[in-house]
Amino acid sequence: MSTLTMQPRAWYRQPWPWLLMLMPALALVGGLITWWIAAATSDPLVVDDYYREGRAINRTLARDATAQQLGLGATLSAGADGSVVVELRAQAAFEAPAQLSLRLVHATRDELDRAFTLVAIGQGRYVAAGQRLPAAGRWHLILEGPERQWRLVGVTSSFAAAQQLGTRP
């Protein structure tokens, strides 16, 4: 009778240890990739001073209330030459200022934010000559008076048609 004796294979030649080590190794690689992404990019949407930002909300709401009391509204459109045109209207007795400030705030990317100074050209119309509206994207529109005593807001995803700005309800 012949007895066949099998020599056990070394542990590194077995598939099970490698299969068991695969998941922790993948978790380690995933953690290193996540750490690299977090270290290499910034998050400009996070505010460092929440308390100060919260106090500023009350001033912002007061500006909205002032615009609502004056019955202000505006229409934002592109002129024939592509310039930024705003038509301001008011229900109450309102002296139209010589300049307005318009900010286009991109919903997610602060490097795309734009600011315009609009100059009165008569009959409640204002223009930012030489400036063009962006093509597409989700934008928050903020139109403010010369000393930031009132503001009108709006949201758009396209400037193809005229945009209405008003106070928040």
Side-chain angles (χ1 to χ4, degrees):
M1 280 190 120
S2 121
T3 17
L4 205 54
T5 59
M6 294 186 71
Q7 293 274 338
R9 291 192 298 181
W11 71 269
Y12 53 86
R13 294 189 184 262
Q14 300 286 334
W16 293 110
W18 295 108
L19 189 62
L20 292 174
M21 287 187 281
L22 180 65
M23 288 302 170
L26 289 176
L28 181 65
V29 169
L32 290 173
I33 291 171
T34 303
W35 175 81
W36 178 76
I37 290 171
T41 60
S42 65
D43 190 3
L45 300 177
V46 176
V47 178
D48 289 338
D49 191 355
Y50 294 102
Y51 179 71
R52 185 178 52 181
E53 292 291 324
R55 285 187 2 218
I57 289 173
N58 291 335
R59 288 191 298 264
T60 301
L61 294 176
R63 292 189 297 152
D64 289 347
T66 301
Q68 195 166 22
Q69 287 171 353
L70 294 171
L72 293 177
T75 303
L76 170 68
S77 61
D81 60 350
S83 61
V84 180
V85 177
V86 170
E87 291 184 37
L88 183 66
R89 56 193 179 280
Q91 294 175 354
F94 176 73
E95 183 177 332
Q99 288 186 343
L100 296 177
S101 171
L102 174 66
R103 288 187 298 143
L104 304 179
V105 180
H106 195 271
T108 57
R109 298 177 54 196
D110 64 346
E111 70 270 10
L112 296 179
D113 293 356
R114 305 210 24 216
F116 302 99
T117 300
L118 302 161
V119 179
I121 58 173
Q123 299 175 348
R125 292 177 55 95
Y126 294 82
V127 67
Q131 302 287 331
R132 296 189 181 276
L133 293 170
R138 184 163 171 83
W139 298 90
H140 296 273
L141 314 171
I142 304 169
L143 182 67
E144 297 174 312
E147 295 174 5
R148 299 183 68 180
Q149 68 272 27
W150 55 265
R151 81 171 190 166
L152 298 173
V153 295
V155 177
T156 188
S157 57
S158 171
F159 292 101
Q163 301 299 316
Q164 299 297 320
L165 288 92
T167 57
R168 292 182 181 172

